[in-house]
Amino acid sequence: MATLLTDEEFIELWETHKSAAKIARLTGMNERKVHTRRRTIEAKYNRPLHAADARTNPLRQSGYEHSARHHLGIENGTVLVFSDAHFWPGIRTTAFKGLLWAINELKPKAVINNGDAFDGAAISRHPRIGWDSKPSVVQELKACEMYLGEIEDAAKKAKLVWTLGNHDARFENRLANTVPEFMAVGGFKLKDHFPSWIPCWSCWPTEDVVVKHRMKGGIHATHNNTVNSGKTIVTGHLHSLKVTPFSDYNGERFGVDTGTLADPSGPQFVDYLEDNPTNWRSGFAVLTFHNSRLLWPELVHAMAPGFIQFRGQVIDVSKL
């Protein structure tokens, strides 16, 4: 049974250990609830509770910025990477259900949300298309909270990382440029609403593998990403879902596109695409590590409504 703590007791524990995982072990609380309590206390007392790995930059220590990198240090195990969910109220896609299935089956060490879970349609810099109807910011936030909450519940002890995407950035960019006086007010940062997810620009499962929302553009982006970086690069943004191997004197590495967790024909894209065909695919990536070496990256593809394909099998996820 979890230990009940006063705010003062929680603050003292946090200042001593500076780690949600350690406090969860000591008190029996769920780690997600520790993060939620931490954010609540920060907002209530206008007092930042710094994590042990906070950067020395005072802005980052105060939570104003996303840290640039987060290192996982994976030696053996699986990491699931999804991107471009563009979560929309009332829509649970086949790829999303497939992700829940994969979390339960593969028991990953980490789940990486590789950007653009939040769409920000109502605050886009692009002009409105005709009389289209878009969900409000609060409706989108609630959708993200609900769907990411399902992932959190399924992932249990897996580390949860969110590499910021360009659509995600709309939330803070609009506020920072419109009402800069509200800097540091609780709720004005996207991560305030998702305390279980570690925000960053790039996540490094190992020193040779980088997960980030985008790098190069165009049809050859996966090839150009790995050639130019000298690393295996796992990106989203382009929705194409593919693996491009590359070998040179340094050995073998990969450019991976994690596709989109959304339905390519979903309402997020209908007017934007003007009924044009797209080279998009719905799914996500599975990264498996052995002795810190990445094995050949695998893809899960949403092949039909309610069905995914993975490792030569067709799997029914319609009831998830």
Side-chain angles (χ1 to χ4, degrees):
M1 184 175 179
T3 304
L4 296 177
L5 300 173
T6 65
D7 289 352
E8 291 75 15
E9 289 171 335
F10 184 91
I11 291 170
E12 184 179 354
L13 262 182
W14 187 272
E15 293 298 344
T16 300
H17 300 286
K18 299 184 183 295
S19 166
K22 288 181 181 178
I23 293 175
R25 287 195 297 271
L26 289 170
T27 64
M29 293 174 66
N30 179 283
E31 190 171 339
R32 177 184 175 190
K33 290 183 179 179
V34 174
H35 281 295
T36 301
R37 183 79 183 276
R38 173 192 174 193
R39 296 303 183 198
T40 300
I41 289 175
E42 285 181 323
K44 182 178 179 180
Y45 297 101
N46 193 26
R47 171 182 177 173
L49 299 177
H50 304 314
D53 62 348
R55 303 298 196 271
T56 55
N57 184 327
L59 285 178
R60 286 179 178 156
Q61 289 179 336
S62 301
Y64 297 159
E65 294 184 358
H66 295 275
S67 58
R69 294 182 181 181
H70 183 76
H71 293 269
L72 291 176
I74 301 292
E75 293 184 3
N76 296 286
T78 300
V79 175
L80 300 182
V81 186
F82 72 92
S83 70
D84 299 271
H86 298 277
F87 286 125
W88 209 256
I91 297 178
R92 296 175 83 253
T93 65
T94 295
F96 174 76
K97 296 175 182 178
L99 179 64
L100 296 180
W101 172 87
I103 292 171
N104 287 321
E105 288 291 319
L106 302 177
K107 305 294 189 295
K109 293 288 186 69
V111 178
I112 302 175
N113 167 11
N114 200 18
D116 287 359
F118 177 81
D119 186 79
I123 51 175
S124 169
R125 62 182 174 83
H126 300 291
R128 186 176 183 181
I129 302 174
W131 302 103
D132 62 352
S133 178
K134 298 183 177 74
S136 66
V137 170
V138 70
Q139 287 173 324
E140 279 201 43
L141 279 177
K142 287 182 178 179
C144 288
E145 288 172 352
M146 182 173 71
Y147 298 129
L148 290 176
E150 286 192 60
I151 294 171
E152 292 166 20
D153 292 340
K156 296 183 174 67
K157 295 182 180 180
K159 184 164 283 191
L160 303 173
V161 182
W162 187 336
T163 48
L164 189 73
N166 54 300
H167 280 256
D168 302 320
R170 288 175 175 177
F171 182 87
E172 290 175 45
N173 288 351
R174 170 61 70 92
L175 293 169
N177 287 283
T178 306
V179 285
E181 301 83 1
F182 284 77
M183 182 179 182
V185 173
F188 275 63
K189 299 182 290 292
L190 187 61
K191 72 175 186 177
D192 291 344
H193 302 273
F194 306 96
S196 296
W197 296 80
I198 299 167
C200 57
W201 286 113
S202 66
C203 180
W204 295 56
T206 70
E207 291 302 311
D208 298 314
V209 179
V210 184
V211 181
K212 65 193 312 291
H213 182 65
R214 59 180 178 174
M215 187 175 167
K216 301 290 184 179
I219 193 171
H220 301 297
T222 50
H223 171 84
N224 292 332
N225 287 345
T226 191
V227 169
N228 284 273
S229 68
K231 304 284 187 182
T232 286
I233 300 283
V234 183
T235 54
H237 191 59
L238 299 179
H239 302 184
S240 65
L241 194 66
K242 61 185 178 184
V243 176
T244 304
F246 180 80
S247 300
D248 59 14
Y249 288 129
N250 295 312
E252 185 177 75
R253 57 187 187 269
F254 305 92
V256 181
D257 186 305
T258 52
T260 171
L261 210 65
D263 181 343
S265 60
Q268 305 96 316
F269 313 118
V270 168
D271 292 315
Y272 166 74
L273 292 173
E274 301 178 3
D275 198 29
N276 287 316
T278 60
N279 189 21
W280 294 357
R281 283 159 290 279
S282 187
F284 54 93
V286 178
L287 308 180
T288 304
F289 295 87
H290 177 70
N291 294 335
S292 298
R293 179 177 178 178
L294 176 66
L295 305 184
W296 197 285
E298 299 173 285
L299 302 175
V300 177
H301 177 224
M303 59 178 293
F307 292 90
I308 59 171
Q309 56 177 320
F310 179 56
R311 294 178 178 171
Q313 294 184 324
V314 176
I315 300 157
D316 183 352
V317 295
S318 59
K319 293 182 173 57
L320 293 176

